[in-house]
Amino acid sequence: MRILFAASEIFPYAKSGGLADVGASLPKALRALDHDVVSVMPLYSFIAQDRFEHNVFEFEVMLGGVSYNVHCHKEHHTYFIEAPLLSTTSYMYGEEGRDYADNDLRFGLFGAAVVMLSRALHVEILHLNDWHSALATLWIKAQNLPIKSVFTIHNLAYQGLFEKTSLRRLGLGIDFFTPERIEFYGKVSFMKAGIAYADTITTVSPNYAKEILTPEFGCGLEGFLRLHVKKLTGVLNGIDTDTYNPVTDTALMHPYSVESLALKEQNKKALYRELGMKDSKKPLFVMISRLVHQKGIDLLIKALDSLLKKPLELLILGDDSGSYRNVLEKASAKHPNLKLIFGYDEALSHRIYAGADFLLMPSIFEPCGLNQMIAMRYGTIPIVHNVGGLHDTVHETHGACGWGIRFNTPSSRALLGAVDRALKLEKEVYLQMQNFNMNCDFSFAPGAKSYHHIYRNLLAKDAHV
Ligand code: ADP
């Protein structure tokens, strides 16, 4: 099966969150099943091009009566779309807390170029991810191309909404601007295009697939999704178990396995030294996250004073773009057991997963969440709000993978209660949890098998027509 996988970020070239991880690990897991999979992403200005095969394709993309020259480069299994506007910005989506004003055109061009690449490569399946490439589904249908499209929703909260004037810029006729198509409360919605025009829709966990059909989690699209529910399936994400492997992880001072768990303590000590932290006898709770409301930062901040009076250390590695920095810094000045690191640091995140005792994930909603799976692979016990993919991957017992602590209401009280339960865990039980989780399969192998069936069914349907 010839498959093209399109995403706005793919690790290690560009990453702001889990989409980039999946952009690398799912195609790799599909290749392990002998599928012929290549990927495509935008060429951003910060991506090193020294190992590129340059200009493997050149396309002229017409949008809204304007012709754009698009160059397509390649490295290993990944194609890069170099287009005006898309490739000249310093960041992927925006800067100083604001999205780029021409993201409609930037990612519209990306979607259109992805369709041209699909044709040039004669792919049978085009797998699109989130709103950035969603318009490709519409153009495939409009051009009646013999390509089946799969659209995966990684986070329904980011919808790609633009003013009505985008229609003209993107060359889309007014007949697309209806509630059954891509109009959403007077705006153009890229996300709706993906939902309306893809042959199949998936999302990143079975539980989130149910949740997004409700007003609480549907972000206003629950009704529209219910209309298309026959096309919707939840496929649980996995992690790249080579990238996240405590046995071979070159970011760690002391690589370890489930058989040499004592070395985890050495990693904790090394982490404390690296970050200039003092007390390594107390349990270390960590958060590694984008600092946004979704991730439960407001809950955490409300709980902080009580939390930091408990016998624990708290370390937060969070990106620097949000508005929470001030209040967190104030709390840290008051409580020496709160350590803050702002910024995005891949290698440090690995050392934190290895050195921590508990990972906090009080997310208000969480489509799948990868942090908890990475944590469990490193023998760190997750404490999660029982929502979305956290519900599917963290259980209070050792029946299904994995084993952690979860709380049912998104309140600081419930979070504090869960932390208390963590602090009261007997050493023996804690060790059992670590052992159980480190033997779990959090890889993308099961997810890739599900996608194999999804792709096969799509092509089989076609063969029967
Ligand atoms: P989301 O995609 O919503 O941000 P996920 O749990 O799906 O959340 O994926 C988050 C990914 O980003 C994980 O690989 C996590 O380790 C990583 N990550 C998040 N914040 C940081 C950070 N500040 N520095 C390094 N890695 C981070």
Side-chain angles (χ1 to χ4, degrees):
M1 229 182 279
R2 195 150 173 71
I3 302 156
L4 178 63
F5 186 95
S8 59
E9 46 186 277
I10 297 177
F11 182 79
Y13 301 107
K15 173 169 169 178
S16 76
L19 174 60
D21 288 320
V22 175
S25 53
L26 175 54
K28 183 174 163 189
L30 286 164
R31 274 193 290 274
L33 294 179
D34 274 342
H35 287 302
D36 179 6
V37 190
V38 287
S39 304
V40 58
M41 64 175 287
L43 175 65
Y44 299 111
S45 61
F46 53 81
I47 294 176
Q49 300 182 29
D50 26 316
R51 282 180 297 183
F52 273 20
E53 240 179 277
H54 280 102
N55 297 315
V56 283
F57 295 106
E58 255 185 76
F59 306 121
E60 193 192 322
V61 177
M62 284 296 290
L63 282 187
V66 181
S67 158
Y68 299 91
N69 225 321
V70 170
H71 296 259
C72 190
H73 316 293
K74 192 179 181 207
E75 184 178 316
H76 302 305
H77 299 290
T78 308
Y79 289 89
F80 296 85
I81 300 295
E82 181 179 10
L85 309 168
L86 182 65
S87 303
T88 46
T89 53
S90 307
Y91 298 90
M92 288 189 269
Y93 311 122
E95 50 195 288
E96 287 169 10
R98 269 207 220 137
D99 289 343
Y100 293 124
D102 53 7
N103 273 350
D104 54 345
L105 207 46
R106 294 179 71 232
F107 290 102
L109 269 170
F110 177 57
V114 164
V115 174
M116 297 190 95
L117 182 63
S118 308
R119 296 177 70 173
L121 295 173
H122 304 287
V123 302
E124 295 158 283
I125 299 280
L126 175 57
H127 190 152
L128 302 149
N129 295 276
D130 273 348
W131 70 264
H132 318 91
S133 53
L135 280 185
T137 58
L138 181 155
W139 283 315
I140 282 177
K141 285 279 180 285
Q143 293 167 37
N144 211 9
L145 298 176
I147 298 170
K148 294 289 170 194
S149 62
V150 177
F151 178 59
T152 299
I153 300 170
H154 292 257
N155 193 335
L156 197 61
Y158 299 96
Q159 299 184 357
L161 287 179
F162 301 98
E163 296 304 325
K164 190 178 169 188
T165 46
S166 283
L167 286 176
R168 192 175 33 80
R169 283 148 67 80
L170 295 165
L172 297 172
I174 192 75
D175 46 326
F176 284 108
F177 201 63
T178 67
E180 297 75 34
R181 294 178 174 177
I182 65 170
E183 187 262 348
F184 184 70
Y185 295 100
K187 299 215 161 163
V188 172
S189 163
F190 279 39
M191 180 67 89
K192 276 188 84 171
I195 297 168
Y197 294 102
D199 293 307
T200 284
I201 312 162
T202 68
T203 188
V204 291
S205 69
N207 193 40
Y208 191 59
K210 288 187 215 146
E211 286 176 346
I212 56 178
L213 302 175
T214 67
E216 192 183 352
F217 297 102
C219 303
L221 286 174
E222 59 277 6
F224 195 63
L225 279 163
R226 278 201 298 270
L227 268 181
H228 294 278
V229 72
K230 280 199 182 133
K231 296 197 288 187
L232 175 67
T233 334
V235 177
L236 190 67
N237 275 344
I239 56 172
D240 185 328
T241 44
D242 298 325
T243 304
Y244 297 109
N245 183 354
V247 179
T248 54
D249 194 331
T250 51
L252 307 190
M253 285 285 275
H254 307 280
Y256 61 100
S257 71
V258 67
E259 276 86 36
S260 56
L261 253 178
L263 284 173
K264 195 165 157 59
E265 189 60 32
Q266 299 300 316
N267 283 293
K268 184 174 178 182
K269 288 202 169 106
L271 179 70
Y272 274 59
R273 274 196 304 276
E274 177 182 352
L275 300 179
M277 291 165 67
K278 273 194 204 105
D279 189 353
S280 69
K281 301 222 171 43
K282 292 182 199 157
L284 175 63
F285 290 65
V286 301
M287 243 178 123
I288 300 168
S289 184
R290 293 182 294 120
L291 295 182
V292 292
H293 176 73
Q294 175 200 336
K295 299 294 179 181
I297 311 297
D298 297 281
L299 282 192
L300 180 84
I301 285 173
K302 230 172 134 194
L304 261 186
D305 272 335
S306 311
L307 188 71
L308 293 166
K309 281 182 193 135
K310 297 182 192 293
L312 55 81
E313 301 277 331
L314 175 61
L315 165 61
I316 301 177
L317 171 62
D319 75 300
D320 199 13
S321 60
S323 54
Y324 295 103
R325 186 173 178 143
N326 253 349
V327 45
L328 287 172
E329 275 174 341
K330 271 190 196 143
S332 173
K334 208 161 108 195
H335 300 280
N337 54 340
L338 170 60
K339 177 80 183 174
L340 303 170
I341 312 277
F342 293 107
Y344 192 91
D345 191 330
E346 191 68 30
L348 176 60
S349 77
H350 287 229
R351 290 193 286 279
I352 296 177
Y353 285 118
D357 298 298
F358 295 98
L359 174 93
L360 288 181
M361 261 184 112
S363 307
I364 306 297
F365 68 94
E366 192 59 76
C368 177
L370 299 178
N371 302 41
Q372 78 281 13
M373 291 190 255
I374 303 170
M376 290 188 274
R377 183 145 170 85
Y378 283 73
T380 295
I381 306 302
I383 300 174
V384 304
H385 176 214
N386 185 10
V387 75
L390 297 172
H391 172 84
D392 291 324
T393 51
V394 179
H395 310 86
E396 289 266 354
T397 59
H398 50 294
C401 281
W403 189 1
I405 293 176
R406 58 190 204 186
F407 55 97
N408 290 320
T409 30
S411 70
S412 36
R413 202 160 146 234
L415 168 63
L416 288 166
V419 169
D420 282 338
R421 279 195 284 140
L423 289 170
K424 281 188 198 135
L425 277 179
E426 283 168 20
K427 182 84 189 158
E428 208 169 291
V429 178
Y430 183 84
L431 279 171
Q432 274 175 26
M433 293 170 97
Q434 284 184 308
N435 264 279
F436 179 78
N437 289 339
M438 288 180 82
N439 284 310
C440 280
D441 178 10
F442 292 115
S443 77
F444 231 122
K449 268 193 203 134
S450 303
Y451 276 110
H452 164 81
H453 291 299
I454 288 170
Y455 300 152
R456 214 181 47 184
N457 288 344
L458 272 178
L459 296 178
K461 250 189 229 159
D462 216 30
H464 290 145
V465 183

